[in-house]
Amino acid sequence: MRIAVVAPSCTLKPEAAAALRRIVEQRGDCELAIHPQCFLSSGHFAGPDEARLAALREVMADPSFDAVWFARGGYGSNRIADAALVELPEAARTKVYLGYSDAGFLHGGLHKAGLEVAWGPMPQDVVREGGEAAVTRALDWLVRRDPSTLEPALNGPAMAFNLTVLSNLLGTPLEPDFTGVDLLIEDVSEHLYRIDRTMFHVASSPAIRKVRQIRLGRVNDILPNDPDFGGSAADIVAHWCTRSGIAFGGAADIGHDAANRVVPFGRAG
Amino acid sequence: MRIAVVAPSCTLKPEAAAALRRIVEQRGDCELAIHPQCFLSSGHFAGPDEARLAALREVMADPSFDAVWFARGGYGSNRIADAALVELPEAARTKVYLGYSDAGFLHGGLHKAGLEVAWGPMPQDVVREGGEAAVTRALDWLVRRDPSTLEPALNGPAMAFNLTVLSNLLGTPLEPDFTGVDLLIEDVSEHLYRIDRTMFHVASSPAIRKVRQIRLGRVNDILPNDPDFGGSAADIVAHWCTRSGIAFGGAADIGHDAANRVVPFGRAG
């Protein structure tokens, strides 16, 4: 199993790359190619749009890679996602794409184009508290599709998105078909009034109303609401599901943390 | 001219109401009815959804009011906007609705329903530095349609929205028809990476691509981007306009500040 790491959003920390290389070496069951583009920096991004796109297209087109692992989130993959999907090389269809958070823009477009994508931990997660377990979970899934790495209640076709990313891809060419899927959402570093506003937007979408149900992962690092919002993130999601005729399926085991599980898109897992 | 003030979003500060009453008394050219609902508080909102909706529908249906002035922004008008538009009473069509920021959710729905709406300063603005001039500008427009209150470069049908609010109403039943309008946008208290992400979402919308042009008001109180984003808000808006085939018309004289001008929707002003 050969795994390419590229950074379509923000710059990978060198200490994360080093820690990941040590883990992969100890495992001995896969080979990691961390693209030099991961360490570029241009304003907010891991290099200019052109460099991030070129690295992504390079590894997509390389038949020697079995997987493309997005280095980290942050912001920026939406700026290159449409161009990444133009004239897809055949080799792009024979590999799996793993990541979460901002990578959701790519997940939407890649899944829509028929490619295999999954939500799951990313290389930069290794520097989190407990991060070795997170990247080990991702590698266990990539290398041997270990079922213990999966979100435990998957039951039929599923997708997972950061809620704010999902809101920003609705109505764009990156929007996939949500019909009949269990839609798992999570968020991080938002005020509850923003979660409410984003749920209004997402739940008002006719495309989203075609899901089988919505399940809520962790909403971490909630920013202080002034005044107190008057309800929890779960209350908010349940409220908008009820108003919108969407089934609310309760909690999901995903989030911006080391416990984040794997959610393969569009199938039972 | 009788003006009703209601608060579909957050609670009006009593000191703002008092200052506004003094200004209106001194003018002597209009009568202000600040609905008691403005001072309610329920979590984030100026009272529960039911109370905010009831107050709004009450003043919409009252033929003695010539104008409905939204007390302030914050967040929450989207939670009652669709219900406010159900079975519109005739008296709702003979008045004008003024506000900005979160009130954009109502503006979208009211304008779509054929009612007269305008972007402009709100009662709570009176407590800003220089705020007396802001509410005086709003009153001069409400009472005598003083042309000096208008955004100075209006030229044909226009609309104005807070960019983040606009992003969250796209694809919802509150989305108006943007065909051929000058779309004025502004924002406040956002990181530049969020402005970029929101512009991606907005500029990717086929509905938004029907505008005549986009003009950018002030983007105030920008939150620190880590690392530095690598461009200004104007750079970002110009970038996404260019990528999306939308004409970028430069600066607009609107924003979350005391200099904020009036933008009547859908006509030359």
Side-chain angles (χ1 to χ4, degrees), chain A residues 108-227:
Chain A
L110 293 166
H111 178 69
K112 186 178 178 181
L115 278 58
E116 186 185 1
V117 306
W119 166 285
M122 295 184 289
Q124 175 98 351
D125 283 315
V126 75
V127 296
R128 288 186 189 276
E129 174 96 25
E132 179 163 347
V135 297
T136 296
R137 190 178 312 117
L139 288 165
D140 286 348
W141 185 76
L142 284 174
V143 174
R144 50 189 169 85
R145 297 293 191 273
D146 181 342
S148 77
T149 64
L150 298 176
E151 203 283 332
L154 294 181
N155 175 23
M159 294 185 190
F161 283 98
N162 172 269
L163 176 62
T164 300
V165 166
L166 175 62
S167 174
N168 280 288
L169 70 70
L170 291 180
T172 77
L174 304 175
E175 181 185 306
D177 181 2
F178 298 100
T179 305
V181 306
D182 281 15
L183 177 60
L184 280 60
I185 56 175
E186 59 84 57
D187 220 324
V188 64
S189 301
E190 299 286 348
H191 301 83
L192 285 180
Y193 86 86
R194 285 181 181 257
I195 298 289
D196 197 74
R197 188 170 59 189
T198 306
M199 274 305 300
F200 157 77
H201 181 236
V202 167
S204 295
S205 161
I208 292 290
R209 291 186 179 185
K210 295 179 183 166
V211 301
R212 189 173 80 109
Q213 61 177 350
I214 285 178
R215 291 170 53 210
L216 179 62
R218 289 174 288 282
V219 180
N220 290 331
D221 184 25
I222 293 171
L223 303 178
N225 210 87
D226 179 24

Side-chain angles (χ1 to χ4, degrees), chain B residues 63-183:
Chain B
S64 78
F65 289 121
D66 307 292
V68 174
W69 199 7
F70 301 124
R72 65 172 295 191
Y75 167 68
S77 72
N78 60 317
R79 295 174 59 108
I80 61 169
D82 53 351
L85 295 165
V86 173
E87 293 173 12
L88 277 177
E90 187 51 35
R93 300 187 177 277
T94 60
K95 46 179 66 73
V96 65
Y97 301 82
L98 179 67
Y100 71 107
S101 191
D102 187 69
F105 289 112
L106 286 164
H107 281 171
L110 293 166
H111 177 70
K112 187 177 177 182
L115 279 58
E116 186 185 0
V117 306
W119 167 286
M122 295 185 289
Q124 175 97 352
D125 283 314
V126 75
V127 297
R128 288 185 189 276
E129 174 97 23
E132 179 163 347
V135 297
T136 296
R137 190 179 311 118
L139 288 164
D140 287 348
W141 185 77
L142 284 174
V143 174
R144 48 188 170 86
R145 297 293 191 274
D146 181 343
S148 77
T149 64
L150 297 176
E151 203 283 332
L154 294 182
N155 173 24
M159 294 185 190
F161 282 97
N162 173 270
L163 175 62
T164 301
V165 167
L166 175 63
S167 174
N168 280 288
L169 71 70
L170 292 180
T172 78
L174 304 175
E175 181 185 307
D177 180 3
F178 297 101
T179 306
V181 307
D182 281 16
L183 177 60

